[in-house]
Coordinates of all heavy atoms in Angstrom, one line a residue:
M818 N 136.4 3.6 -6.3 CA 137.4 3.0 -5.5 C 137.1 3.1 -4.0 O 136.8 4.2 -3.5 CB 138.8 3.6 -5.8 CG 139.9 2.8 -5.3 SD 141.5 3.7 -5.5 CE 141.8 3.3 -7.2
T819 N 137.2 2.0 -3.3 CA 137.0 2.1 -1.8 C 138.3 2.6 -1.1 O 139.3 2.6 -1.7 CB 136.7 0.7 -1.3 OG1 137.9 -0.1 -1.4 CG2 135.6 0.0 -2.0
Q820 N 138.1 3.0 0.1 CA 139.2 3.6 0.9 C 140.3 2.5 1.0 O 141.5 2.8 1.0 CB 138.7 4.1 2.2 CG 139.7 4.8 3.0 CD 140.3 6.0 2.3 OE1 139.6 6.8 1.7 NE2 141.6 6.2 2.3
M821 N 139.8 1.3 1.2 CA 140.8 0.2 1.4 C 141.7 0.0 0.2 O 142.9 -0.2 0.3 CB 140.1 -1.1 1.8 CG 140.7 -1.8 3.0 SD 139.7 -3.1 3.6 CE 140.5 -4.5 2.8
E822 N 141.0 0.0 -1.0 CA 141.8 -0.2 -2.2 C 142.8 0.9 -2.4 O 143.9 0.7 -2.8 CB 140.8 -0.2 -3.4 CG 140.2 -1.6 -3.6 CD 139.1 -1.5 -4.7 OE1 138.4 -0.5 -4.8 OE2 138.9 -2.5 -5.3
N823 N 142.3 2.1 -2.0 CA 143.2 3.3 -2.2 C 144.4 3.1 -1.3 O 145.5 3.4 -1.7 CB 142.4 4.5 -1.8 CG 143.0 5.8 -2.3 OD1 143.9 5.7 -3.2 ND2 142.5 6.9 -1.9
D824 N 144.2 2.7 0.0 CA 145.3 2.5 0.9 C 146.3 1.5 0.4 O 147.5 1.6 0.5 CB 144.8 2.2 2.3 CG 144.2 3.4 3.0 OD1 144.3 4.5 2.5 OD2 143.5 3.2 4.0
T825 N 145.7 0.4 -0.1 CA 146.5 -0.7 -0.7 C 147.4 -0.2 -1.8 O 148.6 -0.4 -1.9 CB 145.6 -1.8 -1.2 OG1 144.6 -2.1 -0.2 CG2 146.5 -3.1 -1.4
L826 N 146.8 0.6 -2.7 CA 147.6 1.2 -3.8 C 148.7 2.1 -3.3 O 149.8 2.0 -3.8 CB 146.6 2.0 -4.7 CG 146.0 1.2 -5.9 CD1 145.1 2.2 -6.6 CD2 147.1 0.7 -6.8
K827 N 148.4 2.9 -2.3 CA 149.4 3.8 -1.8 C 150.5 3.0 -1.2 O 151.7 3.3 -1.4 CB 148.7 4.7 -0.7 CG 148.1 6.0 -1.3 CD 147.7 7.0 -0.2 CE 146.8 8.0 -0.8 NZ 146.0 8.6 0.2
A828 N 150.2 2.0 -0.4 CA 151.2 1.2 0.3 C 152.0 0.5 -0.8 O 153.3 0.4 -0.7 CB 150.5 0.2 1.2
H829 N 151.4 0.1 -1.8 CA 152.1 -0.6 -2.9 C 153.1 0.3 -3.6 O 154.3 0.0 -3.8 CB 151.1 -1.1 -3.9 CG 151.7 -1.9 -5.0 ND1 152.2 -3.2 -4.9 CD2 151.8 -1.6 -6.4 CE1 152.7 -3.6 -6.0 NE2 152.5 -2.7 -6.9
S830 N 152.6 1.5 -3.9 CA 153.5 2.4 -4.7 C 154.7 2.9 -3.7 O 155.7 3.2 -4.2 CB 152.8 3.6 -5.2 OG 152.3 4.4 -4.2
R831 N 154.4 2.9 -2.4 CA 155.4 3.4 -1.5 C 156.6 2.3 -1.5 O 157.7 2.7 -1.4 CB 154.8 3.5 -0.1 CG 155.6 4.5 0.7 CD 154.9 4.8 2.1 NE 153.6 5.4 1.9 CZ 152.5 5.1 2.6 NH1 152.5 4.2 3.5 NH2 151.4 5.8 2.4
T832 N 156.2 1.1 -1.5 CA 157.3 0.1 -1.4 C 158.0 -0.2 -2.7 O 159.1 -0.6 -2.7 CB 156.7 -1.3 -0.9 OG1 155.5 -1.6 -1.6 CG2 156.3 -1.2 0.6
T833 N 157.2 0.0 -3.8 CA 157.8 -0.4 -5.1 C 158.5 0.7 -5.9 O 159.5 0.5 -6.4 CB 156.8 -1.1 -6.0 OG1 155.7 -0.2 -6.1 CG2 156.3 -2.4 -5.4
S834 N 157.8 1.9 -5.9 CA 158.4 3.0 -6.7 C 158.2 4.3 -6.1 O 158.1 4.4 -4.8 CB 157.7 2.9 -8.1 OG 156.3 3.2 -7.9
I835 N 158.1 5.3 -6.9 CA 157.9 6.7 -6.4 C 156.6 6.8 -5.7 O 155.6 6.2 -6.1 CB 158.0 7.7 -7.6 CG1 158.7 7.1 -8.7 CG2 158.4 9.0 -7.1 CD1 158.4 7.9 -10.0
P836 N 156.6 7.6 -4.6 CA 155.3 7.9 -4.0 C 154.2 8.4 -4.9 O 154.6 9.2 -5.9 CB 155.6 8.9 -2.9 CG 157.1 8.8 -2.7 CD 157.6 8.3 -3.9
T837 N 153.0 8.1 -4.7 CA 151.9 8.6 -5.6 C 151.9 10.1 -5.8 O 151.7 10.6 -6.9 CB 150.5 8.1 -5.1 OG1 150.7 6.8 -4.6 CG2 149.5 8.2 -6.1
D838 N 152.2 10.8 -4.7 CA 152.1 12.2 -4.8 C 153.2 12.7 -5.8 O 153.0 13.7 -6.5 CB 152.4 12.9 -3.4 CG 151.2 12.7 -2.5 OD1 150.1 12.3 -3.0 OD2 151.3 13.0 -1.3
M839 N 154.3 12.1 -5.7 CA 155.4 12.5 -6.6 C 155.0 12.3 -8.1 O 155.3 13.1 -9.0 CB 156.7 11.8 -6.3 CG 157.5 12.3 -5.2 SD 158.2 13.9 -5.5 CE 159.6 13.4 -6.4
E840 N 154.4 11.2 -8.3 CA 153.9 10.9 -9.7 C 152.9 11.9 -10.2 O 153.0 12.3 -11.3 CB 153.3 9.5 -9.7 CG 154.4 8.4 -9.8 CD 153.8 7.0 -9.7 OE1 152.7 6.8 -9.1 OE2 154.5 6.1 -10.2
E841 N 152.0 12.3 -9.3 CA 151.0 13.3 -9.7 C 151.7 14.6 -10.0 O 151.4 15.3 -10.9 CB 150.0 13.4 -8.5 CG 148.9 12.4 -8.6 CD 148.0 12.5 -7.4 OE1 148.0 13.5 -6.6 OE2 147.3 11.5 -7.1
L842 N 152.6 14.9 -9.1 CA 153.4 16.2 -9.3 C 154.1 16.2 -10.7 O 154.0 17.1 -11.4 CB 154.4 16.3 -8.2 CG 154.8 17.7 -7.8 CD1 153.6 18.4 -7.1 CD2 156.0 17.7 -6.9
A843 N 154.7 15.0 -11.0 CA 155.5 14.9 -12.3 C 154.5 15.1 -13.5 O 154.9 15.8 -14.4 CB 156.2 13.6 -12.3
S844 N 153.4 14.5 -13.4 CA 152.5 14.5 -14.6 C 151.9 15.9 -14.7 O 151.6 16.4 -15.8 CB 151.4 13.5 -14.5 OG 150.5 13.8 -13.5
D845 N 151.6 16.6 -13.5 CA 151.2 18.0 -13.6 C 152.2 18.9 -14.3 O 151.9 19.6 -15.2 CB 150.9 18.5 -12.2 CG 149.6 18.1 -11.6 OD1 148.9 17.4 -12.4 OD2 149.3 18.5 -10.5
N846 N 153.4 18.7 -13.9 CA 154.5 19.5 -14.5 C 154.6 19.2 -16.0 O 154.8 20.1 -16.8 CB 155.8 19.2 -13.9 CG 156.0 19.9 -12.6 OD1 155.3 20.9 -12.3 ND2 156.9 19.5 -11.7
A847 N 154.4 17.9 -16.4 CA 154.5 17.6 -17.8 C 153.4 18.3 -18.6 O 153.6 18.8 -19.7 CB 154.4 16.1 -18.0
D848 N 152.2 18.3 -18.0 CA 151.1 19.0 -18.7 C 151.5 20.5 -18.9 O 151.2 21.1 -19.9 CB 149.9 19.0 -17.8 CG 149.2 17.6 -18.0 OD1 149.6 16.9 -18.9 OD2 148.2 17.3 -17.3
Q849 N 152.0 21.1 -17.8 CA 152.3 22.5 -17.9 C 153.4 22.8 -18.9 O 153.3 23.8 -19.7 CB 152.8 23.1 -16.5 CG 151.6 23.4 -15.7 CD 152.0 23.8 -14.3 OE1 153.2 24.1 -14.0 NE2 151.0 23.9 -13.4
E850 N 154.4 21.9 -19.0 CA 155.5 22.1 -19.9 C 154.9 21.9 -21.3 O 155.4 22.7 -22.2 CB 156.6 21.1 -19.7 CG 157.6 21.6 -18.7 CD 158.5 20.5 -18.1 OE1 158.8 19.6 -18.9 OE2 158.9 20.6 -17.0
L851 N 154.0 21.0 -21.5 CA 153.4 20.8 -22.9 C 152.7 22.0 -23.3 O 152.9 22.6 -24.4 CB 152.5 19.6 -22.8 CG 151.9 19.2 -24.2 CD1 152.9 18.7 -25.1 CD2 150.8 18.2 -24.0
T852 N 151.8 22.6 -22.4 CA 151.1 23.8 -22.7 C 152.0 24.9 -23.0 O 151.9 25.6 -24.0 CB 150.2 24.2 -21.5 OG1 149.6 23.0 -21.0 CG2 149.1 25.1 -22.0
A853 N 153.1 25.0 -22.2 CA 154.0 26.1 -22.4 C 154.7 26.0 -23.7 O 154.9 27.0 -24.4 CB 155.0 26.2 -21.3
S854 N 155.1 24.8 -24.1 CA 155.8 24.6 -25.4 C 154.9 24.9 -26.5 O 155.3 25.4 -27.6 CB 156.5 23.3 -25.4 OG 155.5 22.3 -25.6
L855 N 153.7 24.5 -26.4 CA 152.7 24.8 -27.5 C 152.5 26.3 -27.7 O 152.3 26.7 -28.8 CB 151.3 24.2 -27.1 CG 151.2 22.7 -27.3 CD1 149.8 22.2 -26.8 CD2 151.3 22.3 -28.8
L856 N 152.7 27.0 -26.6 CA 152.5 28.5 -26.7 C 153.8 29.2 -26.9 O 153.8 30.4 -26.7 CB 151.7 29.0 -25.5 CG 150.3 28.4 -25.3 CD1 149.9 28.6 -23.9 CD2 149.4 29.1 -26.3
G857 N 154.8 28.5 -27.1 CA 156.1 29.2 -27.2 C 156.6 29.7 -25.9 O 157.4 30.7 -25.8
N858 N 156.3 29.0 -24.8 CA 156.8 29.3 -23.5 C 156.5 30.7 -23.0 O 157.3 31.3 -22.3 CB 158.3 29.0 -23.5 CG 158.7 28.1 -22.4 OD1 157.9 27.9 -21.4 ND2 159.8 27.5 -22.5
D859 N 155.4 31.2 -23.4 CA 155.1 32.6 -23.1 C 154.3 32.6 -21.8 O 153.1 32.3 -21.7 CB 154.3 33.2 -24.2 CG 154.1 34.7 -24.0 OD1 154.2 35.2 -22.9 OD2 154.0 35.4 -25.0
K860 N 155.0 33.0 -20.7 CA 154.4 32.9 -19.4 C 153.2 33.9 -19.3 O 152.2 33.6 -18.7 CB 155.4 33.3 -18.3 CG 154.9 33.3 -16.9 CD 154.8 31.9 -16.3 CE 154.6 31.9 -14.8 NZ 153.3 32.6 -14.4
D861 N 153.3 35.1 -19.9 CA 152.3 36.0 -19.8 C 151.0 35.5 -20.5 O 149.9 35.6 -20.0 CB 152.7 37.3 -20.6 CG 153.6 38.2 -19.7 OD1 153.7 37.8 -18.5 OD2 154.1 39.2 -20.2
T862 N 151.2 34.8 -21.7 CA 150.1 34.3 -22.4 C 149.4 33.2 -21.5 O 148.2 33.1 -21.4 CB 150.5 33.7 -23.7 OG1 151.3 34.7 -24.4 CG2 149.3 33.3 -24.6
L863 N 150.3 32.3 -20.9 CA 149.7 31.3 -20.1 C 148.9 31.9 -18.9 O 147.8 31.4 -18.7 CB 150.9 30.5 -19.4 CG 151.2 29.1 -20.0 CD1 152.3 28.5 -19.3 CD2 149.9 28.2 -19.9
D864 N 149.4 32.9 -18.3 CA 148.7 33.6 -17.2 C 147.3 34.1 -17.7 O 146.3 34.0 -17.1 CB 149.5 34.8 -16.7 CG 150.6 34.3 -15.8 OD1 150.6 33.1 -15.4 OD2 151.5 35.1 -15.4
Q865 N 147.4 34.7 -19.0 CA 146.1 35.2 -19.5 C 145.1 34.1 -19.8 O 143.9 34.3 -19.6 CB 146.4 36.0 -20.8 CG 147.2 37.3 -20.5 CD 147.5 38.1 -21.8 OE1 146.6 38.5 -22.5 NE2 148.7 38.3 -22.0
I866 N 145.6 33.0 -20.3 CA 144.7 31.9 -20.6 C 144.1 31.4 -19.3 O 142.9 31.1 -19.2 CB 145.5 30.8 -21.4 CG1 145.8 31.3 -22.8 CG2 144.6 29.5 -21.4 CD1 146.7 30.4 -23.5
E867 N 144.9 31.2 -18.3 CA 144.4 30.8 -17.0 C 143.4 31.8 -16.5 O 142.3 31.3 -15.9 CB 145.6 30.6 -16.0 CG 146.2 29.2 -16.1 CD 147.5 29.1 -15.2 OE1 147.6 29.9 -14.3 OE2 148.3 28.3 -15.6
A868 N 143.6 33.0 -16.6 CA 142.7 34.0 -16.2 C 141.4 33.9 -17.0 O 140.3 34.1 -16.4 CB 143.2 35.4 -16.3
A869 N 141.5 33.6 -18.3 CA 140.3 33.5 -19.1 C 139.5 32.3 -18.7 O 138.3 32.4 -18.6 CB 140.7 33.3 -20.6
I870 N 140.2 31.2 -18.4 CA 139.5 30.0 -17.9 C 138.7 30.3 -16.6 O 137.6 29.9 -16.4 CB 140.5 28.8 -17.7 CG1 141.0 28.4 -19.1 CG2 139.8 27.7 -17.0 CD1 142.2 27.5 -19.0
Q871 N 139.4 31.1 -15.8 CA 138.8 31.6 -14.5 C 137.5 32.4 -14.8 O 136.5 32.2 -14.2 CB 139.8 32.4 -13.7 CG 139.4 32.7 -12.3 CD 139.2 31.4 -11.5 OE1 140.2 30.6 -11.4 NE2 138.1 31.2 -10.9
R872 N 137.6 33.2 -15.8 CA 136.4 34.1 -16.2 C 135.3 33.2 -16.7 O 134.1 33.5 -16.5 CB 136.8 35.2 -17.2 CG 137.7 36.3 -16.5 CD 137.7 37.5 -17.4 NE 138.3 37.2 -18.7 CZ 139.6 37.2 -19.0 NH1 140.4 37.4 -18.0 NH2 140.0 36.9 -20.2
I873 N 135.7 32.2 -17.5 CA 134.6 31.3 -18.0 C 133.9 30.7 -16.8 O 132.6 30.6 -16.8 CB 135.2 30.2 -18.9 CG1 135.8 30.8 -20.2 CG2 134.2 29.1 -19.2 CD1 136.6 29.9 -21.0
E874 N 134.6 30.3 -15.8 CA 134.0 29.7 -14.6 C 133.2 30.7 -13.8 O 132.1 30.4 -13.3 CB 135.1 29.1 -13.7 CG 135.6 27.7 -14.3 CD 136.9 27.2 -13.5 OE1 137.3 27.8 -12.5 OE2 137.4 26.2 -14.0
D875 N 133.7 31.9 -13.8 CA 132.9 33.0 -13.1 C 131.7 33.4 -13.9 O 130.8 34.0 -13.4 CB 133.8 34.2 -13.0 CG 134.9 34.0 -12.0 OD1 134.9 33.0 -11.3 OD2 135.8 34.9 -11.9
G876 N 131.7 33.2 -15.2 CA 130.6 33.6 -16.1 C 130.8 35.0 -16.6 O 129.9 35.6 -17.2
S877 N 132.1 35.6 -16.4 CA 132.3 36.9 -16.9 C 133.2 36.9 -18.2 O 133.6 37.9 -18.6 CB 133.1 37.7 -15.8 OG 134.3 37.1 -15.5
Y878 N 133.4 35.7 -18.8 CA 134.2 35.6 -20.0 C 133.5 36.4 -21.1 O 132.3 36.3 -21.3 CB 134.3 34.2 -20.4 CG 135.1 34.0 -21.7 CD1 136.5 34.1 -21.7 CD2 134.4 33.7 -22.8 CE1 137.1 34.0 -22.9 CE2 135.1 33.5 -24.0 CZ 136.5 33.7 -24.0 OH 137.1 33.5 -25.2
G879 N 134.4 37.1 -21.9 CA 133.8 37.8 -23.0 C 133.5 39.3 -22.7 O 133.1 40.0 -23.6
R880 N 133.7 39.6 -21.4 CA 133.4 41.0 -21.0 C 134.7 41.7 -20.7 O 135.7 41.1 -20.2 CB 132.6 41.0 -19.7 CG 131.2 41.5 -20.0 CD 130.3 41.3 -18.9 NE 129.0 40.8 -19.3 CZ 128.1 41.5 -20.0 NH1 128.3 42.7 -20.3 NH2 126.9 40.9 -20.3
C881 N 134.8 43.0 -21.1 CA 136.0 43.7 -20.9 C 136.2 44.0 -19.4 O 135.3 44.4 -18.7 CB 135.9 45.1 -21.6 SG 137.3 46.2 -21.3
E882 N 137.4 43.7 -18.9 CA 137.7 43.9 -17.5 C 137.8 45.4 -17.1 O 137.6 45.8 -16.0 CB 139.0 43.2 -17.1 CG 138.9 41.8 -16.9 CD 140.1 41.1 -16.3 OE1 141.2 41.7 -16.4 OE2 140.0 40.0 -15.8
Q883 N 138.0 46.2 -18.1 CA 138.2 47.7 -17.9 C 136.8 48.4 -17.9 O 136.4 49.0 -16.9 CB 139.1 48.3 -18.9 CG 140.5 47.8 -18.8 CD 141.2 48.1 -17.5 OE1 141.1 49.2 -16.9 NE2 141.8 47.0 -16.9
C884 N 136.1 48.3 -19.0 CA 134.9 49.0 -19.1 C 133.6 48.2 -18.9 O 132.5 48.7 -18.9 CB 134.8 49.8 -20.5 SG 134.8 48.7 -21.9
G885 N 133.8 46.8 -18.9 CA 132.6 45.9 -18.6 C 131.8 45.7 -19.9 O 130.8 45.0 -19.8
E886 N 132.2 46.2 -21.0 CA 131.4 46.0 -22.2 C 131.8 44.6 -22.9 O 132.9 44.1 -22.6 CB 131.7 47.1 -23.2 CG 130.8 48.3 -22.9 CD 130.9 49.4 -24.0 OE1 131.1 49.0 -25.2 OE2 130.9 50.6 -23.6
Q887 N 130.9 44.1 -23.7 CA 131.1 42.9 -24.4 C 132.2 43.0 -25.3 O 132.3 44.0 -26.1 CB 129.8 42.5 -25.1 CG 129.8 41.1 -25.7 CD 129.6 40.1 -24.5 OE1 128.8 40.3 -23.6 NE2 130.2 38.9 -24.7
I888 N 133.2 42.1 -25.3 CA 134.3 42.1 -26.2 C 133.8 41.5 -27.5 O 133.2 40.5 -27.6 CB 135.5 41.3 -25.7 CG1 136.0 41.8 -24.3 CG2 136.6 41.2 -26.7 CD1 137.0 40.9 -23.6
P889 N 134.0 42.3 -28.7 CA 133.5 41.8 -30.0 C 134.0 40.4 -30.3 O 135.1 40.0 -30.0 CB 134.1 42.8 -31.0 CG 134.5 44.0 -30.1 CD 134.8 43.5 -28.8
E890 N 133.1 39.6 -30.9 CA 133.4 38.2 -31.2 C 134.7 38.1 -32.1 O 135.4 37.2 -32.0 CB 132.2 37.6 -31.9 CG 132.0 36.2 -31.5 CD 130.6 35.7 -32.0 OE1 129.6 36.2 -31.5 OE2 130.7 34.8 -32.8
T891 N 134.8 39.1 -33.0 CA 136.0 39.1 -33.9 C 137.3 39.1 -33.1 O 138.3 38.5 -33.5 CB 136.0 40.2 -34.9 OG1 135.7 41.4 -34.2 CG2 134.9 40.0 -35.9
R892 N 137.3 39.9 -32.0 CA 138.5 40.0 -31.2 C 138.7 38.7 -30.4 O 139.8 38.2 -30.3 CB 138.3 41.2 -30.2 CG 139.5 41.3 -29.3 CD 139.5 42.7 -28.6 NE 140.4 42.7 -27.5 CZ 141.7 42.8 -27.6 NH1 142.2 42.9 -28.8 NH2 142.5 42.9 -26.5
L893 N 137.6 38.1 -29.9 CA 137.7 36.8 -29.2 C 138.2 35.7 -30.1 O 138.8 34.8 -29.7 CB 136.4 36.5 -28.5 CG 136.0 37.3 -27.3 CD1 134.7 37.0 -26.8 CD2 137.1 37.2 -26.2
D894 N 137.8 35.8 -31.4 CA 138.3 34.8 -32.3 C 139.8 34.9 -32.5 O 140.5 33.9 -32.6 CB 137.6 35.0 -33.7 CG 136.2 34.4 -33.8 OD1 135.9 33.6 -32.8 OD2 135.5 34.6 -34.7
A895 N 140.3 36.1 -32.6 CA 141.7 36.3 -32.7 C 142.5 36.1 -31.5 O 143.5 35.4 -31.5 CB 141.9 37.8 -33.2
I896 N 141.9 36.6 -30.3 CA 142.6 36.4 -29.0 C 141.6 35.8 -28.1 O 140.9 36.6 -27.4 CB 143.2 37.7 -28.5 CG1 143.9 38.5 -29.6 CG2 144.1 37.5 -27.3 CD1 144.2 39.9 -29.3
P897 N 141.4 34.5 -28.0 CA 140.3 34.0 -27.2 C 140.4 34.3 -25.7 O 139.5 34.2 -25.0 CB 140.5 32.4 -27.4 CG 141.3 32.3 -28.6 CD 142.2 33.5 -28.7
Y898 N 141.6 34.6 -25.3 CA 141.8 34.9 -23.8 C 141.9 36.4 -23.6 O 142.3 36.9 -22.5 CB 143.1 34.3 -23.3 CG 144.3 34.6 -24.2 CD1 145.0 35.8 -24.1 CD2 144.7 33.7 -25.2 CE1 146.1 36.0 -24.9 CE2 145.8 33.9 -26.0 CZ 146.5 35.1 -25.8 OH 147.6 35.4 -26.7
A899 N 141.4 37.2 -24.6 CA 141.5 38.7 -24.4 C 140.6 39.1 -23.1 O 139.5 38.6 -23.0 CB 140.9 39.4 -25.6
A900 N 141.2 39.9 -22.3 CA 140.5 40.3 -21.1 C 139.9 41.7 -21.2 O 139.1 42.1 -20.4 CB 141.5 40.3 -19.9
E901 N 140.3 42.4 -22.3 CA 139.8 43.7 -22.5 C 139.3 43.9 -24.0 O 139.8 43.2 -24.9 CB 140.9 44.7 -22.2 CG 141.3 44.8 -20.8 CD 142.8 45.0 -20.6 OE1 143.5 44.8 -21.6 OE2 143.2 45.3 -19.5
C902 N 138.5 44.9 -24.2 CA 138.1 45.2 -25.5 C 139.3 45.9 -26.2 O 140.2 46.3 -25.5 CB 136.8 46.1 -25.5 SG 137.1 47.7 -24.8
E903 N 139.2 46.1 -27.5 CA 140.3 46.6 -28.2 C 140.7 48.0 -27.8 O 141.9 48.3 -27.6 CB 139.9 46.6 -29.7 CG 141.1 46.2 -30.6 CD 140.6 45.6 -31.9 OE1 139.5 45.0 -31.9 OE2 141.3 45.6 -32.9
R904 N 139.7 48.8 -27.5 CA 139.9 50.2 -27.1 C 140.7 50.2 -25.8 O 141.8 50.8 -25.6 CB 138.6 50.9 -26.9 CG 138.7 52.4 -26.8 CD 137.3 53.0 -26.9 NE 136.3 52.2 -26.1 CZ 135.8 52.7 -25.0 NH1 136.2 53.9 -24.5 NH2 135.0 52.0 -24.3
C905 N 140.3 49.4 -24.7 CA 140.9 49.4 -23.5 C 142.3 48.8 -23.6 O 143.3 49.3 -22.9 CB 140.1 48.7 -22.4 SG 138.6 49.5 -22.0
A906 N 142.4 47.8 -24.4 CA 143.7 47.1 -24.5 C 144.7 48.1 -25.1 O 145.9 48.1 -24.7 CB 143.6 45.9 -25.4
S907 N 144.3 48.9 -26.1 CA 145.3 49.8 -26.7 C 145.6 50.9 -25.8 O 146.8 51.4 -25.8 CB 144.7 50.3 -28.1 OG 143.6 51.1 -27.8
Q908 N 144.7 51.3 -24.9 CA 145.0 52.3 -23.9 C 146.0 51.7 -22.9 O 147.0 52.4 -22.5 CB 143.7 52.7 -23.2 CG 143.0 53.8 -24.0 CD 141.6 54.1 -23.4 OE1 141.3 53.5 -22.3 NE2 140.9 54.9 -24.0
Q909 N 145.8 50.5 -22.5 CA 146.7 49.8 -21.6 C 148.1 49.8 -22.2 O 149.1 50.0 -21.5 CB 146.3 48.4 -21.4 CG 145.1 48.3 -20.4 CD 145.6 47.8 -19.0 OE1 146.5 47.0 -19.0 NE2 145.0 48.3 -18.0
E910 N 148.2 49.4 -23.4 CA 149.5 49.3 -24.1 C 150.3 50.6 -24.1 O 151.4 50.6 -23.8 CB 149.3 48.8 -25.5 CG 149.8 47.3 -25.7 CD 149.5 46.8 -27.1 OE1 149.9 47.4 -28.1 OE2 148.7 45.8 -27.1
K911 N 149.5 51.6 -24.4 CA 150.2 52.9 -24.4 C 150.7 53.3 -23.0 O 151.8 53.8 -22.8 CB 149.1 54.0 -24.8 CG 149.1 54.2 -26.3 CD 148.1 55.3 -26.6 CE 147.3 54.9 -27.9 NZ 146.0 55.5 -28.0
G912 N 149.9 52.9 -22.0 CA 150.3 53.2 -20.6 C 151.5 52.4 -20.2 O 152.3 52.9 -19.4
H913 N 151.7 51.2 -20.7 CA 152.8 50.3 -20.3 C 154.1 50.6 -21.0 O 155.1 50.5 -20.5 CB 152.4 48.8 -20.6 CG 151.6 48.3 -19.5 ND1 152.0 48.2 -18.2 CD2 150.3 47.7 -19.5 CE1 151.0 47.7 -17.4 NE2 150.0 47.4 -18.2
R914 N 153.9 51.1 -22.2 CA 155.1 51.4 -23.0 C 155.7 52.8 -22.8 O 154.9 53.7 -22.8 CB 154.8 51.1 -24.5 CG 154.8 49.6 -24.7 CD 154.4 49.2 -26.1 NE 154.2 47.8 -26.2 CZ 153.7 47.2 -27.3 NH1 153.5 47.9 -28.4 NH2 153.5 45.9 -27.3
P915 N 157.0 52.9 -22.8 CA 157.6 54.2 -22.6 C 157.4 55.1 -23.9 O 157.3 54.6 -24.9 CB 159.0 53.9 -22.4 CG 159.3 52.6 -22.9 CD 158.0 51.8 -22.9
Ligands
ZN1704 ZN1 136.9 48.0 -22.6

C-alpha cells in the first residue's frame, strides 16, 4: 500500500466511522478476550504463555529458568509454557504456599 492510499483510507474512516486506531484497539481486545476465555480467564496462565512465547523468540524455550537445565519433553507436553523443570517448580510451590 502506498502512503497516499493509506492517508486516503485514514481520512475515509475518520469521516465515516470509528478512527482506524480504535478499530485496531477493539480487535486486539477481542483477541485477548478470546484467548482468555479459551484458557478459563486465567491471567497467570496467560502471563506464563506470553513469557513462553518470549522465550521461544529468545531461543531459551525449554530451559529451566531456575537451574538452566533442559525441561523434560514429557513436562513440556503437559505444560507447554512451563518455565521451570519439575524439581524447581515444586520447590517454588512450596515456597509460595504457607
Ligand atoms: Zn530447574
Side-chain angles (χ1 to χ4, degrees):
M818 189 187 280
T819 67
Q820 187 58 43
M821 226 169 96
E822 279 172 328
N823 202 9
D824 286 349
T825 313
L826 266 180
K827 271 188 194 156
H829 184 70
S830 66
R831 205 174 294 139
T832 48
T833 54
S834 65
I835 334 163
T837 315
D838 287 350
M839 281 292 279
E840 281 175 333
E841 275 171 19
L842 210 70
S844 71
D845 277 359
N846 281 340
D848 280 353
Q849 276 175 13
E850 272 165 33
L851 182 69
T852 317
S854 68
L855 280 174
L856 295 164
N858 234 340
D859 192 333
K860 178 80 168 62
D861 281 352
T862 310
L863 255 180
D864 284 350
Q865 288 180 61
I866 290 170
E867 271 170 26
I870 292 168
Q871 192 62 54
R872 287 197 301 279
I873 291 170
E874 284 170 6
D875 290 351
S877 62
Y878 176 76
R880 252 171 221 288
C881 174
E882 280 190 339
Q883 296 298 315
C884 65
E886 276 187 36
Q887 192 74 36
I888 300 171
E890 220 170 290
T891 48
R892 178 165 167 77
L893 286 176
D894 275 349
I896 314 166
Y898 49 83
E901 292 144 343
C902 67
E903 220 149 337
R904 193 167 48 105
C905 294
S907 65
Q908 275 170 8
Q909 282 255 327
E910 249 172 60
K911 274 181 215 154
H913 279 302
R914 280 175 194 178

